[in-house]
Amino acid sequence: SQQGEEDPQALSIQEGENATMNCSYKTSINNLQWYRQNSGRGLVHLILIRSNEREKHSGRLRVTLDTSKKSSSLLITASRAADTASYFCATNGGETSGSRLTFGEGTQLTVNP
Amino acid sequence: ETGVTQTPRHLVMGMTNKKSLKCEQHLGHNAMYWYKQSAKKPLELMFVYNFKEQTENNSVPSRFSPECPNSSHLFLHLHTLQPEDSALYLCASSPHVGNTEAFFGQGTRLTVV
């Protein structure tokens, strides 16, 4: 079964606004990761949060993890047009997935100048 | 640049052709992966190699044949593919198979005609 599921599927905002994307998963995890993908390109790792962490920051990125609700959110503050991309969450570890990374379908973020 | 290089970037092949995708990483990682990304679907893990040994084959059809001659190089040999195999094929590496981030190549856009 699919592990990470992002919400919303698509998000369109104006430059300077904040963007929030959510990810839900089904089984226990060791960590959850967020990746970014520009159209037709490879994925770039953004941030990793471990199952015993609740919040993590990296520059304009803020990730939260709620293991009781099996959900995570990615907040991009003060968005820029260059942030336009697809964003994926990926879960690692747990009973069913072992050591593999299991990706969701992604959120397509469009930041309008 | 993520340190993972894939060639070619684009490939068009007929259903009777034989071609190979190449992936090379200069990060000193011990684990390498092949993923398939089709439109509107989550990334699908195809194969996992750890220290040159295949540790996972995610029920991939035999028309896809991986080869890992050493920890830095990974190939995906293709033969008698179907049009539905058209997708973006992504290679990734990580320090080891486990709870770490993955570094992705830019992908090979494959079109089967």
Side-chain angles (χ1 to χ4, degrees):
Chain A
S1 62
Q2 181 175 312
Q3 183 68 316
E5 294 186 19
E6 289 89 346
D7 167 55
Q9 289 188 336
L11 179 62
S12 182
I13 60 174
Q14 294 301 121
E15 208 164 25
E17 294 180 339
N18 295 341
T20 299
M21 289 160 272
N22 303 297
C23 170
S24 60
Y25 57 93
K26 295 183 173 64
T27 64
S28 62
I29 61 171
N30 291 322
N31 66 63
L32 184 144
Q33 303 177 32
W34 284 91
Y35 288 80
R36 166 200 167 119
Q37 183 181 34
N38 285 51
S39 180
R41 309 292 292 273
L43 278 73
V44 176
H45 182 267
L46 295 176
I47 198 164
L48 180 154
I49 186 166
R50 302 192 187 284
S51 59
N52 61 353
E53 297 176 308
R54 292 296 167 259
E55 187 171 314
K56 207 160 183 181
H57 297 256
S58 177
R60 294 184 294 113
L61 306 181
R62 172 176 166 254
V63 168
T64 62
L65 179 64
D66 187 335
T67 53
S68 66
K69 295 181 179 178
K70 292 186 169 57
S71 67
S72 173
S73 68
L74 170 68
L75 168 68
I76 303 174
T77 60
S79 64
R80 305 166 182 168
D83 294 328
T84 295
S86 292
Y87 291 83
F88 297 86
C89 70
T91 54
N92 185 296
E95 294 176 3
T96 57
S97 59
S99 59
R100 64 163 61 184
L101 274 178
T102 305
F103 287 83
E105 293 185 21
T107 293
Q108 172 61 51
L109 172 67
T110 302
V111 181
N112 302 298
Chain B
E1 290 297 328
T2 61
V4 180
T5 304
Q6 288 187 244
T7 55
R9 291 293 308 278
H10 301 272
L11 178 62
V12 179
M13 60 184 289
M15 290 189 284
T16 59
N17 290 160
K18 289 185 180 180
K19 296 287 184 183
S20 296
L21 309 185
K22 180 183 177 182
C23 177
E24 186 173 359
Q25 56 97 0
H26 306 281
L27 302 168
H29 291 169
N30 296 310
M32 297 188 77
Y33 314 81
W34 279 117
Y35 283 87
K36 176 184 178 182
Q37 186 178 33
S38 304
K40 307 295 184 184
K41 293 177 68 176
L43 267 75
E44 301 171 55
L45 179 64
M46 301 174 72
F47 302 102
V48 180
Y49 277 83
N50 192 34
F51 291 97
K52 303 189 303 177
E53 299 299 321
Q54 186 181 123
T55 58
E56 192 161 343
N57 176 337
N58 194 22
S59 302
V60 180
S62 60
R63 58 186 184 269
F64 295 91
S65 175
E67 178 189 2
C68 189
N70 54 61
S71 293
S72 299
H73 293 85
L74 185 64
F75 296 89
L76 187 63
H77 303 300
L78 317 170
H79 62 98
T80 59
L81 294 192
Q82 303 299 312
E84 58 264 29
D85 295 322
S86 299
L88 182 68
Y89 288 85
L90 292 162
C91 172
S93 71
S94 61
H96 53 82
V97 175
N99 302 323
T100 60
E101 68 182 89
F103 293 74
F104 282 81
Q106 298 288 2
T108 295
R109 172 66 64 186
L110 174 67
T111 303
V112 182
V113 296

Coordinates of all heavy atoms in Angstrom, one line a residue, chain A residues 2 30-31 33 35 37 40-43 45 48 50 88 92-93 99-101 103-105, chain B residues 9 35 37 40-43 45 56 58 88 90 97-102 104-106 109:
Chain A
Q2 N 0.4 2.3 -0.6 CA 1.1 3.5 -0.7 C 1.3 4.1 0.7 O 0.4 4.1 1.5 CB 0.4 4.5 -1.6 CG 1.1 5.9 -1.7 CD 0.3 6.7 -2.7 OE1 0.0 6.3 -3.8 NE2 0.1 8.0 -2.4
N30 N 10.9 5.2 10.7 CA 12.1 5.6 11.3 C 12.4 7.1 11.1 O 12.9 7.8 11.9 CB 13.3 4.8 10.9 CG 13.2 3.3 11.4 OD1 12.8 3.1 12.5 ND2 13.7 2.4 10.6
N31 N 12.1 7.5 9.9 CA 12.2 8.9 9.6 C 11.4 9.3 8.4 O 10.8 8.4 7.7 CB 13.7 9.3 9.3 CG 14.3 8.7 8.0 OD1 13.8 8.9 6.9 ND2 15.3 7.9 8.2
Q33 N 11.2 12.1 5.1 CA 12.1 13.0 4.3 C 11.2 13.8 3.3 O 10.2 13.3 2.8 CB 13.2 12.2 3.6 CG 14.0 11.4 4.5 CD 15.1 10.6 3.7 OE1 15.6 11.0 2.7 NE2 15.4 9.4 4.3
Y35 N 11.5 15.9 -0.4 CA 12.3 16.1 -1.6 C 11.6 17.1 -2.5 O 10.4 17.2 -2.5 CB 12.5 14.8 -2.3 CG 13.4 13.8 -1.7 CD1 13.0 13.0 -0.6 CD2 14.8 13.6 -2.1 CE1 13.8 12.1 0.0 CE2 15.6 12.7 -1.5 CZ 15.1 12.0 -0.5 OH 16.0 11.1 0.1
Q37 N 11.4 18.4 -6.7 CA 11.7 18.0 -8.0 C 11.3 19.1 -9.0 O 10.1 19.4 -9.1 CB 11.1 16.6 -8.4 CG 11.4 16.2 -9.8 CD 10.8 14.9 -10.2 OE1 9.6 14.6 -9.8 NE2 11.4 14.0 -11.0
G40 N 10.8 17.3 -14.8 CA 11.6 16.5 -15.6 C 13.0 16.2 -15.1 O 13.8 15.7 -15.8
R41 N 13.3 16.7 -13.9 CA 14.6 16.5 -13.3 C 14.7 15.5 -12.2 O 13.6 15.0 -11.8 CB 15.1 17.9 -12.9 CG 15.0 19.0 -13.9 CD 15.9 18.8 -15.1 NE 17.3 19.0 -14.7 CZ 18.0 20.1 -14.7 NH1 17.3 21.2 -15.0 NH2 19.3 20.2 -14.4
G42 N 15.8 15.3 -11.6 CA 15.9 14.5 -10.5 C 15.4 15.1 -9.2 O 15.1 16.3 -9.1
L43 N 15.3 14.3 -8.2 CA 14.8 14.8 -6.9 C 16.0 15.3 -6.1 O 17.1 14.7 -6.1 CB 14.2 13.6 -6.1 CG 12.7 13.4 -6.4 CD1 12.6 12.7 -7.8 CD2 12.0 12.5 -5.4
H45 N 17.1 16.3 -2.1 CA 16.8 16.1 -0.7 C 16.7 17.5 -0.1 O 17.6 18.3 -0.2 CB 17.8 15.2 0.0 CG 17.5 15.0 1.4 ND1 18.0 15.7 2.4 CD2 16.7 14.0 2.0 CE1 17.5 15.3 3.6 NE2 16.8 14.2 3.3
L48 N 15.3 15.9 6.5 CA 15.0 14.6 7.1 C 14.6 14.9 8.5 O 15.3 15.6 9.3 CB 16.2 13.7 7.0 CG 16.1 12.3 7.6 CD1 17.0 11.3 6.8 CD2 16.4 12.2 9.1
R50 N 13.5 12.7 12.0 CA 13.5 11.4 12.6 C 12.2 11.2 13.4 O 11.6 12.2 13.9 CB 14.7 11.2 13.5 CG 16.0 11.3 12.7 CD 17.2 10.8 13.4 NE 18.4 11.2 12.7 CZ 18.8 10.5 11.6 NH1 18.2 9.5 11.1 NH2 20.0 10.9 11.0
F88 N 7.8 16.1 -2.6 CA 7.4 14.8 -2.3 C 7.9 14.5 -0.8 O 9.0 14.9 -0.4 CB 8.1 13.7 -3.2 CG 7.8 13.8 -4.6 CD1 8.4 14.7 -5.5 CD2 6.8 13.0 -5.1 CE1 8.1 14.8 -6.8 CE2 6.4 13.1 -6.4 CZ 7.1 14.0 -7.3
N92 N 10.7 6.3 5.6 CA 11.8 5.3 5.6 C 11.7 4.4 6.9 O 11.5 5.0 8.0 CB 13.2 6.1 5.7 CG 14.3 5.1 5.6 OD1 14.6 4.3 6.5 ND2 15.1 5.2 4.5
G93 N 11.8 3.1 6.6 CA 11.7 2.3 7.8 C 10.3 1.9 8.2 O 9.4 2.2 7.5
S99 N 14.0 -0.9 4.9 CA 15.0 0.2 4.8 C 14.7 1.1 3.5 O 15.4 2.0 3.2 CB 16.4 -0.3 4.7 OG 16.5 -1.2 3.6
R100 N 13.7 0.8 2.8 CA 13.4 1.5 1.5 C 12.8 2.8 1.8 O 12.1 3.0 2.8 CB 12.5 0.6 0.6 CG 11.1 0.4 1.2 CD 10.1 0.0 0.1 NE 10.5 -1.3 -0.5 CZ 9.8 -1.8 -1.5 NH1 8.7 -1.2 -1.9 NH2 10.2 -3.0 -2.0
L101 N 12.9 3.7 0.8 CA 12.2 5.0 0.8 C 10.9 4.8 0.0 O 11.0 4.3 -1.1 CB 13.0 6.1 0.2 CG 14.0 6.8 1.0 CD1 14.7 7.9 0.1 CD2 13.3 7.5 2.1
F103 N 7.7 6.8 -1.6 CA 7.3 8.1 -1.9 C 5.8 8.3 -2.1 O 5.1 7.3 -2.5 CB 8.0 8.6 -3.2 CG 9.5 8.8 -3.1 CD1 10.4 7.8 -3.1 CD2 9.9 10.1 -2.9 CE1 11.8 8.1 -2.9 CE2 11.3 10.4 -2.8 CZ 12.2 9.4 -2.8
G104 N 5.3 9.5 -1.9 CA 4.0 9.8 -2.2 C 3.9 10.4 -3.6 O 4.9 10.4 -4.3
E105 N 2.7 10.8 -4.0 CA 2.5 11.3 -5.4 C 3.0 12.7 -5.6 O 3.1 13.2 -6.7 CB 1.0 11.1 -5.8 CG 0.6 9.7 -5.9 CD -0.8 9.6 -6.4 OE1 -1.3 10.5 -7.1 OE2 -1.4 8.5 -6.2
Chain B
R9 N 20.4 11.4 -21.1 CA 19.3 12.2 -20.5 C 18.0 11.9 -21.1 O 16.9 11.9 -20.5 CB 19.6 13.7 -20.6 CG 20.7 14.1 -19.7 CD 20.4 14.0 -18.2 NE 19.1 14.6 -17.8 CZ 19.0 15.9 -17.6 NH1 20.0 16.7 -17.7 NH2 17.8 16.4 -17.3
Y35 N 14.8 3.8 -9.7 CA 13.4 4.1 -9.6 C 12.8 4.4 -10.9 O 13.4 4.9 -11.8 CB 13.2 5.4 -8.7 CG 13.4 5.2 -7.2 CD1 14.7 5.3 -6.7 CD2 12.3 5.0 -6.4 CE1 14.9 5.2 -5.3 CE2 12.5 4.9 -5.0 CZ 13.8 5.0 -4.5 OH 14.0 4.9 -3.1
Q37 N 9.6 6.6 -12.6 CA 8.6 7.7 -12.3 C 7.7 7.9 -13.5 O 8.1 8.3 -14.6 CB 9.3 9.0 -11.9 CG 8.2 10.1 -11.5 CD 8.9 11.4 -11.1 OE1 9.9 11.8 -11.6 NE2 8.3 12.1 -10.1
K40 N 1.6 10.9 -13.0 CA 0.5 10.8 -12.0 C 0.6 9.6 -11.1 O -0.3 9.1 -10.6 CB -0.8 10.6 -12.8 CG -1.1 11.8 -13.8 CD -1.2 13.1 -13.1 CE -1.6 14.2 -14.2 NZ -1.6 15.5 -13.6
K41 N 1.9 9.1 -11.0 CA 2.1 7.9 -10.1 C 3.3 8.2 -9.2 O 4.2 8.9 -9.5 CB 2.3 6.6 -10.9 CG 1.2 6.1 -11.7 CD 1.5 4.9 -12.5 CE 1.8 3.7 -11.7 NZ 2.1 2.5 -12.5
P42 N 3.3 7.6 -8.0 CA 4.4 7.8 -7.1 C 5.6 7.1 -7.7 O 5.5 6.2 -8.5 CB 4.0 7.1 -5.8 CG 2.5 6.9 -5.9 CD 2.2 6.8 -7.3
L43 N 6.8 7.6 -7.2 CA 8.0 6.9 -7.6 C 8.0 5.4 -7.2 O 7.6 5.1 -6.1 CB 9.2 7.5 -6.9 CG 10.0 8.6 -7.7 CD1 9.2 9.9 -7.6 CD2 11.4 8.8 -7.1
L45 N 10.1 2.1 -6.6 CA 11.4 1.5 -6.4 C 11.5 0.2 -7.3 O 10.6 -0.7 -7.2 CB 11.7 1.1 -5.0 CG 13.0 0.5 -4.6 CD1 14.2 1.4 -4.9 CD2 13.0 0.1 -3.2
E56 N 17.3 -6.1 -3.4 CA 15.8 -6.0 -3.6 C 15.5 -5.9 -5.1 O 16.1 -5.2 -5.9 CB 15.3 -4.8 -2.9 CG 13.8 -4.7 -2.8 CD 13.3 -3.8 -1.7 OE1 14.1 -3.4 -0.8 OE2 12.2 -3.4 -1.7
N58 N 11.9 -5.3 -6.9 CA 10.5 -5.1 -6.6 C 9.6 -5.6 -7.6 O 8.8 -4.8 -8.2 CB 10.3 -3.6 -6.3 CG 9.0 -3.3 -5.6 OD1 8.4 -4.1 -5.0 ND2 8.6 -2.0 -5.8
L88 N 10.3 8.3 -16.7 CA 11.6 8.9 -16.2 C 12.2 7.9 -15.3 O 11.6 7.5 -14.3 CB 11.3 10.2 -15.5 CG 12.6 11.0 -15.0 CD1 13.4 11.5 -16.2 CD2 12.2 12.1 -14.1
L90 N 15.0 7.1 -12.7 CA 15.9 7.8 -11.8 C 16.8 6.8 -11.1 O 16.4 5.8 -10.6 CB 15.1 8.6 -10.8 CG 14.3 9.7 -11.4 CD1 13.2 10.1 -10.4 CD2 15.2 10.9 -11.7
V97 N 22.3 1.3 2.7 CA 20.9 1.0 2.7 C 20.3 1.2 4.1 O 20.7 0.4 5.0 CB 20.6 -0.4 2.2 CG1 19.1 -0.7 2.3 CG2 21.0 -0.6 0.8
G98 N 19.5 2.1 4.3 CA 19.0 2.4 5.7 C 18.4 3.7 5.8 O 17.9 4.3 4.9
N99 N 18.5 4.3 7.0 CA 17.8 5.5 7.3 C 18.6 6.7 7.0 O 18.9 7.6 7.8 CB 17.5 5.5 8.8 CG 16.7 4.3 9.2 OD1 15.8 3.9 8.4 ND2 16.9 3.7 10.3
T100 N 19.0 6.9 5.7 CA 19.7 8.1 5.3 C 19.0 8.7 4.1 O 18.2 8.0 3.4 CB 21.1 7.7 4.9 OG1 21.1 6.7 3.9 CG2 21.9 7.1 6.1
E101 N 19.5 9.9 3.8 CA 18.9 10.5 2.6 C 19.5 9.9 1.3 O 20.6 9.3 1.3 CB 19.2 12.0 2.6 CG 20.7 12.3 2.4 CD 21.0 13.8 2.5 OE1 21.2 14.3 3.6 OE2 21.0 14.5 1.5
A102 N 18.7 10.0 0.2 CA 19.2 9.5 -1.1 C 19.5 10.7 -2.0 O 18.9 11.8 -1.9 CB 18.0 8.7 -1.7
F104 N 19.9 11.8 -5.9 CA 19.3 11.4 -7.1 C 20.1 12.0 -8.3 O 20.6 13.1 -8.2 CB 17.8 11.8 -7.3 CG 16.9 10.9 -6.5 CD1 16.7 11.1 -5.1 CD2 16.2 9.9 -7.1 CE1 15.8 10.3 -4.4 CE2 15.3 9.1 -6.4 CZ 15.1 9.3 -5.1
G105 N 20.1 11.2 -9.4 CA 20.6 11.7 -10.7 C 19.5 12.5 -11.3 O 18.3 12.6 -10.8
Q106 N 19.8 13.1 -12.5 CA 18.8 13.9 -13.2 C 17.8 13.1 -14.0 O 16.8 13.6 -14.5 CB 19.5 14.8 -14.2 CG 20.4 15.8 -13.5 CD 19.7 16.9 -12.8 OE1 18.5 16.9 -12.7 NE2 20.4 17.8 -12.2
R109 N 14.9 10.2 -19.5 CA 13.5 10.2 -20.0 C 13.5 9.2 -21.2 O 14.1 9.4 -22.2 CB 13.2 11.6 -20.5 CG 11.8 11.7 -21.3 CD 10.7 11.4 -20.4 NE 10.5 12.4 -19.3 CZ 9.6 12.3 -18.3 NH1 8.8 11.3 -18.3 NH2 9.5 13.2 -17.4

